[in-house]
Amino acid sequence: MSELLTLSEGAVLTHLATRAELAAGALKAVDDLRLWARLADGDGVPFAGGGVVRTVVEAGEPSLTGPEGWLAAVRPEDVVALRLREGRLELSTTTLADFSAERAIRVTEEFAEQALEALRAFAEGLEPSPGVSIDVAVLELLMKAPETFSDPLPPLAPLLRGTSLEVRGGRVGIVGAPWDTESVAGLAPLDIVRLALVRSTLRAYEEGADLSKAITYLSRSETVLARIADEVEREPLSPALVEALPRTEPAALLLAARSAEGEGRSFEAAGLIAEVLALSPGLAPAERDAAEYAACRTNPADPLPVRAAHLFRQLLAYGYRPARRRLIDDLVALSIRVAEPALADLALFENDVVGEFLDARGEWLREDEARLLESWRRTPLRLWEILGVAGDEITLREAGDEGREPVTLADELLPSQARAGDLMLTRLLDDGTGPHVFGHPFKVDPARRDEMLALLSDPVDPYAVAAFFRRAARPEPPR
């Protein structure tokens, strides 16, 4: 500790005080003041006005506390300056009117360099996080150039975020660092670095920036290319960045295609995918996209019921694309994994993914197919009571509306999985000849009939329906 005190002597760190901090009498030290939190841990550091500054940790986050009234002169939104002088912490406020831009640049450059080194160490399995701890980087700067923090600079967290660095829980990484470490489990070290560097280039892009290194990284790893392409579809690129992508590079064209797909321009995306495969035949992500686009064109010789079944499969594929997969995953997280096929149907219709499919891919649909999909959009989710099963036919009636006429439909699977008295949650979709069950129905416990009916009032909340299947039945009230 004495070595740290010696190294930090004369240094000043700043922090923007908030109303909540002043009310609590403590300054958050997760980021800007992290070095002082390290020094004040345990016995604390003497305060120049008397008493001791100590580190307290709540919910995993450190704060600095001091003697009674130590923040009395500070107002909300004041920039607090904490300086270590002769082993004591001095507190003042500053306006930062004339801070040294040269020293601020030195700080950001050092952090950028150390963030990159931290990423490489993480990729090699040498460090648990892809970012450098702020206190470690500050100490490194103090060893190299002790005068760096001799006068107040802007608070570290906002200063670093303003220069394409990310600050997370007291650590600093490059933009696009894999903070969710599980997301890169199994990737080769070099691919982890490539993935983060390409993300950083795309997310921090400014007009005229050099994209050549990022395109090279993508061209050298199909694994990284597939991941980045999925991310671009979820978060499409800016028009300026799309325009800057070199149209002679297959990897760049794939990103442009995925960006178009993410914005609902499938027809344009298909044309770009054709260009990708002309330049790089066999590129797996592009081949999968090309196959999906080709499948949107049905065989005109097929009757409408056959094409309807095909369209439903294409709807499911569309729902599982990167831009919409989250809708399904969110429902699964609230429910049970075995219900995923039925939850996918729920996500498609209750979030109007069918309408998005029509907008994005309507140019490939025939008139009767488009009309059919429009009718599907208007078809509500309902609870059905099974009245009887005979051969490959099943007879249903809408639960809660016993006055309606029963519906009989032919199905290869349902009659073998159901019996009279069962309750089935599904939507009956027109296949051109009559009602049909294309999705996977939910089976509902008859004891929970009323509970489910209460969830089906328009508009249906898909999250409430998903959670229904995770909950146990409510106990019967005592009689």
Side-chain angles (χ1 to χ4, degrees):
M1 182 63 73
S2 60
E3 185 179 349
L4 287 180
L5 286 168
T6 301
L7 192 58
S8 305
E9 175 62 27
V12 58
L13 300 176
T14 61
H15 175 74
L16 186 66
T18 67
R19 189 176 301 277
E21 287 174 316
L22 299 180
L27 298 175
K28 290 186 180 299
V30 178
D31 303 317
D32 307 323
L33 306 176
R34 196 170 187 87
L35 178 58
W36 296 157
R38 180 172 170 179
L39 286 174
D41 195 22
D43 294 335
V45 177
F47 185 55
V52 176
V53 175
R54 288 190 171 86
T55 299
V56 296
V57 179
E58 293 184 5
E61 295 192 347
S63 295
L64 293 175
T65 63
E68 183 73 25
W70 77 303
L71 300 177
V74 182
R75 297 291 175 263
E77 306 303 314
D78 277 353
V79 176
V80 172
L82 271 177
R83 183 188 298 275
L84 185 72
R85 196 194 307 271
E86 297 180 357
R88 297 173 180 271
L89 281 173
E90 299 175 347
L91 184 145
S92 62
T93 59
T94 179
T95 61
L96 298 175
D98 55 354
F99 69 88
S100 168
E102 180 183 346
R103 287 190 290 110
I105 292 171
R106 182 191 305 160
V107 169
T108 58
E109 288 178 345
E110 177 68 25
F111 267 93
E113 183 179 322
Q114 291 202 41
L116 188 55
E117 287 303 314
L119 172 66
R120 294 189 177 113
F122 165 75
E124 294 289 347
L126 303 176
E127 291 291 340
S129 169
V132 60
S133 183
I134 287 180
D135 55 306
V136 170
V138 170
L139 286 170
E140 185 74 20
L141 269 165
L142 289 172
M143 285 190 286
K144 292 179 178 179
E147 73 283 2
T148 302
F149 294 100
S150 59
D151 294 305
L153 293 175
L156 286 172
L159 174 67
L160 297 172
R161 289 190 182 105
T163 57
S164 299
L165 292 170
E166 294 180 339
V167 182
R168 299 282 184 90
R171 289 182 177 269
V172 177
I174 68 169
V175 170
W179 300 105
D180 177 8
T181 57
E182 288 298 313
S183 70
V184 293
L187 284 187
L190 185 54
D191 278 347
I192 293 175
V193 174
R194 285 170 171 159
L195 179 69
L197 290 176
V198 173
R199 280 177 178 167
S200 184
T201 299
L202 297 181
R203 294 180 186 179
Y205 175 76
E206 294 181 355
E207 191 169 351
D210 184 11
L211 297 174
S212 59
K213 283 187 178 180
I215 300 302
T216 298
Y217 294 147
L218 291 172
S219 301
R220 290 178 178 174
S221 173
E222 194 168 295
T223 298
V224 173
L225 176 59
R227 289 220 182 187
I228 292 293
D230 285 356
E231 292 179 7
V232 164
E233 185 173 332
R234 285 192 291 270
E235 297 182 26
L237 305 175
S238 68
L241 178 48
V242 172
E243 185 67 26
L245 292 170
R247 297 308 171 108
T248 56
E249 294 290 341
L253 284 168
L254 179 63
L255 297 192
R258 288 299 192 85
S259 189
E261 175 61 45
E263 292 180 336
R265 305 194 309 277
S266 296
F267 197 74
E268 177 185 335
L272 290 166
I273 289 297
E275 293 183 47
V276 173
L277 292 175
L279 292 170
S280 181
L283 187 64
E287 283 194 323
R288 289 192 292 271
D289 286 348
E292 184 177 317
Y293 294 139
C296 290
R297 303 176 181 88
T298 56
N299 184 347
D302 289 336
L304 186 54
V306 172
R307 287 182 282 133
H310 179 80
L311 283 174
F312 189 83
R313 290 192 293 271
Q314 293 311 303
L315 269 176
L316 278 176
Y318 187 73
Y320 273 100
R321 288 199 67 91
R324 291 156 195 86
R325 174 66 194 249
R326 175 188 53 79
L327 297 173
I328 299 172
D329 290 342
D330 287 350
L331 294 181
V332 172
L334 287 171
S335 192
I336 50 178
R337 175 60 64 179
V338 293
E340 181 173 329
L343 294 168
D345 172 89
L346 192 64
L348 284 177
F349 288 90
E350 302 308 328
N351 293 291
D352 197 26
V353 175
V354 183
E356 293 180 22
F357 181 87
L358 275 165
D359 290 341
R361 303 187 176 183
E363 294 182 63
W364 291 316
L365 302 179
R366 305 180 193 285
E367 287 186 12
D368 57 349
E369 295 167 354
R371 286 196 300 270
L372 197 67
L373 287 177
E374 284 290 359
S375 76
W376 290 2
R377 292 176 74 185
R378 299 188 297 271
T379 302
L381 182 68
R382 289 293 180 257
L383 185 63
W384 299 89
E385 180 183 359
I386 299 175
L387 301 180
V389 176
D392 65 350
E393 290 189 340
I394 184 168
T395 302
L396 314 168
R397 182 171 58 200
E398 186 176 333
D401 194 351
E402 281 68 20
R404 284 206 175 187
E405 288 295 316
V407 177
T408 298
L409 50 92
D411 194 280
E412 294 179 359
L413 295 177
L414 282 179
S416 64
Q417 300 171 344
R419 60 185 181 182
D422 284 351
L423 291 176
M424 181 175 71
L425 182 67
T426 190
R427 70 189 80 236
L428 300 187
L429 300 175
D430 184 13
D431 70 354
T433 60
H436 189 84
V437 176
F438 288 113
H440 288 70
F442 288 100
K443 193 172 183 179
V444 176
D445 183 350
R448 304 182 70 189
R449 177 179 184 273
D450 292 343
E451 187 182 348
M452 174 51 69
L453 287 174
L455 295 176
L456 296 180
S457 58
D458 290 328
V460 172
D461 181 352
Y463 302 100
V465 174
F468 171 92
F469 291 95
R470 190 169 194 164
R471 296 193 301 267
R474 294 174 181 169
E476 289 288 332
R479 296 185 179 182

